[in-house]
Amino acid sequence: MDFQFGINYNNKSDEELMVFIIKGKEKAFNELYERYSKRLFLFFYQKLYQNNDKAQDLLQDLFLKVIEKAEAFDHTKNFSVWIYSIAYNMCKNEYRNNSIKADKTISLDLENVNKKTVPATIINIENNHSLFKKCLDIELEKLNKKHSLAFTLRHQDNLSIKEISDIMECSEGTVKSRLFYASKKLAVTLKKFNSDKY
């Protein structure tokens, strides 16, 4: 369905969105990002030693590849398989680059990818530990104001990327960049909470 001021990308299939991305439609990319970013973060996190920083880095690189290789995608094929194949190869390259011999084979099992589960190392704002919240507040204060605000709006107020971009009067890409930066910094400064005892 087309709206007066543009296309409703929410109703488009992944494959249709890729066609729009090839045409330079930023909102189509944003829609794909919304659909896949969390589950692909989980994929990287599980495959690469539960390393939050590494998973965030590879997630950002992956979506850059989606843009760069958009024209190589056959829109008659399944997008989900295509993007997970790229993610899978990135994991294999990471093992190779680090000269790590993996005893376990990295398996690409699309059927068992949990689309809703988020790993414990992602900052969980719903965590009721007062110590965690106090430390989180302290670390958020140390961040650049714009990065801190983007993180708070996204993870505490549960606003969408689009809503945050409207509030902060910047592009959705800028919001994502700020969220990546804030998440990376917090993953390091709040590393002690990445434990079962918390």
Side-chain angles (χ1 to χ4, degrees):
M1 174 180 179
D2 290 349
F3 290 121
Q4 182 178 358
F5 298 108
I7 300 168
N8 181 3
Y9 293 103
N10 293 330
N11 294 335
K12 300 298 181 182
S13 69
D14 297 339
E15 295 74 26
E16 288 174 321
L17 289 175
M18 284 300 291
V19 174
F20 285 113
I21 289 174
I22 293 173
K23 296 178 180 179
K25 303 297 184 181
E26 182 180 352
K27 290 183 179 180
F29 171 79
N30 292 338
E31 176 62 27
L32 269 183
Y33 183 89
E34 285 297 310
R35 293 180 187 181
Y36 284 91
S37 59
K38 287 184 180 179
R39 65 178 105 161
L40 284 164
F41 175 89
L42 178 62
F43 177 82
F44 286 129
Y45 177 84
Q46 292 176 330
K47 300 303 180 186
L48 297 173
Y49 326 110
Q50 299 186 356
N51 184 317
N52 190 72
D53 285 349
K54 180 61 66 177
Q56 289 284 5
D57 287 342
L58 290 184
L59 180 66
Q60 187 169 11
D61 290 344
L62 173 62
F63 278 96
L64 287 176
K65 290 179 184 294
V66 169
I67 295 174
E68 294 169 354
K69 298 183 176 183
E71 293 188 4
F73 173 70
D74 181 352
H75 67 275
T76 65
K77 305 295 184 182
N78 188 301
F79 173 80
S80 180
V81 172
W82 184 70
I83 194 170
Y84 272 101
S85 294
I86 296 175
Y88 171 68
N89 287 326
M90 290 173 70
C91 286
K92 289 198 298 184
N93 290 336
E94 192 64 28
Y95 278 116
R96 189 179 302 113
N97 292 339
N98 291 320
S99 300
I100 295 174
K101 293 183 179 180
D103 293 329
K104 297 180 180 179
T105 302
I106 303 175
S107 60
L108 182 61
D109 187 351
L110 299 182
E111 295 299 323
N112 293 326
V113 173
N114 189 328
K115 300 180 181 180
K116 297 181 180 179
T117 303
V118 179
T121 52
I122 292 181
I123 307 303
N124 183 3
I125 304 305
E126 296 177 355
N127 189 320
N128 290 320
H129 275 290
S130 60
L131 176 60
F132 173 82
K133 290 187 175 183
K134 182 181 294 185
C135 290
L136 175 60
D137 289 341
I138 291 173
E139 295 305 326
L140 282 172
E141 283 296 316
K142 296 178 182 178
L143 293 178
N144 173 287
K145 296 295 184 184
K146 292 180 179 179
H147 296 152
S148 178
L149 177 59
F151 184 91
T152 300
L153 291 174
R154 181 63 170 159
H155 296 289
Q156 292 185 347
D157 298 321
N158 298 314
L159 297 181
S160 69
I161 299 294
K162 177 65 168 64
E163 290 170 328
I164 297 172
S165 70
D166 289 341
I167 291 172
M168 300 186 75
E169 297 182 341
C170 62
S171 71
E172 293 181 30
T174 298
V175 172
K176 291 169 189 173
S177 176
R178 291 171 181 171
L179 288 172
F180 273 125
Y181 180 88
S183 296
K184 182 176 292 188
K185 294 289 288 186
L186 291 171
V188 173
T189 57
L190 297 174
K191 187 185 301 183
K192 64 182 179 181
F193 290 97
N194 296 343
S195 170
D196 291 338
K197 66 181 180 180
Y198 290 99

